[in-house]
């Protein structure tokens, strides 16, 4: 019933920008905590940014000041604006939702590829 769909990934040069979107269905979006994760080849999945149901945000240290997480509850969509991209930002970016203000089950999207290369 729950579906998370990411979009907006692609190939960009270092210093470029991308904006990722995650659209959710099958949940009360405004009650869900949301997060972006990424996974590079040969590395474990890591938390990139988190936004609570109330809009409180947190970031991985290496992306802070370059990335901005946001949400539009009217559109059931979460965003990740990525600026000043670096090759080390390359990976598959995944959307995660946790229902019931973070107290419920969690769900994952299928991921979208981000490649930063010259």
């Amino acid at each position: 019933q729950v579906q998370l769909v990411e979009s907006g990934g692609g190939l960009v040069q270092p210093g470029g920008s991308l904006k990722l979107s995650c659209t959710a269905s099958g949940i009360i979006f405004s009650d869900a905590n949301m997060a972006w994760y990424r996974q590079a080849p040969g590395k474990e999945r890591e938390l990139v940014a988190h936004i609570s149901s109330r809009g409180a945000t947190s970031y991985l240290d290496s992306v802070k000041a370059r990335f901005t997480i946001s949400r539009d509850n009217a559109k059931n969509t979460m965003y990740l604006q990525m600026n000043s991209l670096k090759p080390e930002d390359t990976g598959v970016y995944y959307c995660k939702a946790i229902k019931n203000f973070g107290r419920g089950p969690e769900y994952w999207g299928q991921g979208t590829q981000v490649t930063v290369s010259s």
Side-chain angles (χ1 to χ4, degrees):
Q1 294 180 354
V2 177
Q3 184 171 258
L4 305 175
V5 179
E6 301 99 331
S7 62
L11 173 64
V12 296
Q13 294 184 353
S17 297
L18 285 173
K19 188 174 184 178
L20 306 183
S21 298
C22 171
T23 299
S25 59
I27 62 171
I28 303 174
F29 184 78
S30 60
D31 292 347
N33 288 352
M34 304 291 297
W36 287 101
Y37 286 74
R38 70 185 180 192
Q39 188 166 22
K43 298 183 64 177
E44 295 186 1
R45 190 172 299 185
E46 64 181 350
L47 176 65
V48 176
H50 177 274
I51 183 166
S52 75
S53 61
R54 299 180 299 173
T57 60
S58 62
Y59 297 89
L60 180 68
D61 284 346
S62 62
V63 309
K64 199 168 187 177
R66 298 188 297 118
F67 292 9
T68 302
I69 188 171
S70 62
R71 64 192 296 162
D72 186 340
N73 289 345
K75 297 181 178 180
N76 282 12
T77 300
M78 174 182 64
Y79 305 96
L80 185 67
Q81 177 66 52
M82 304 186 294
N83 299 324
S84 302
L85 283 162
K86 304 175 180 180
E88 52 262 44
D89 295 318
T90 294
V92 179
Y93 283 69
Y94 296 92
C95 173
K96 185 175 81 170
I98 310 99
K99 294 171 66 175
N100 194 22
F101 311 100
R103 299 189 294 269
E106 65 182 44
Y107 303 90
W108 292 87
Q110 82 289 346
T112 185
Q113 177 70 44
V114 172
T115 303
V116 185
S117 177
S118 60

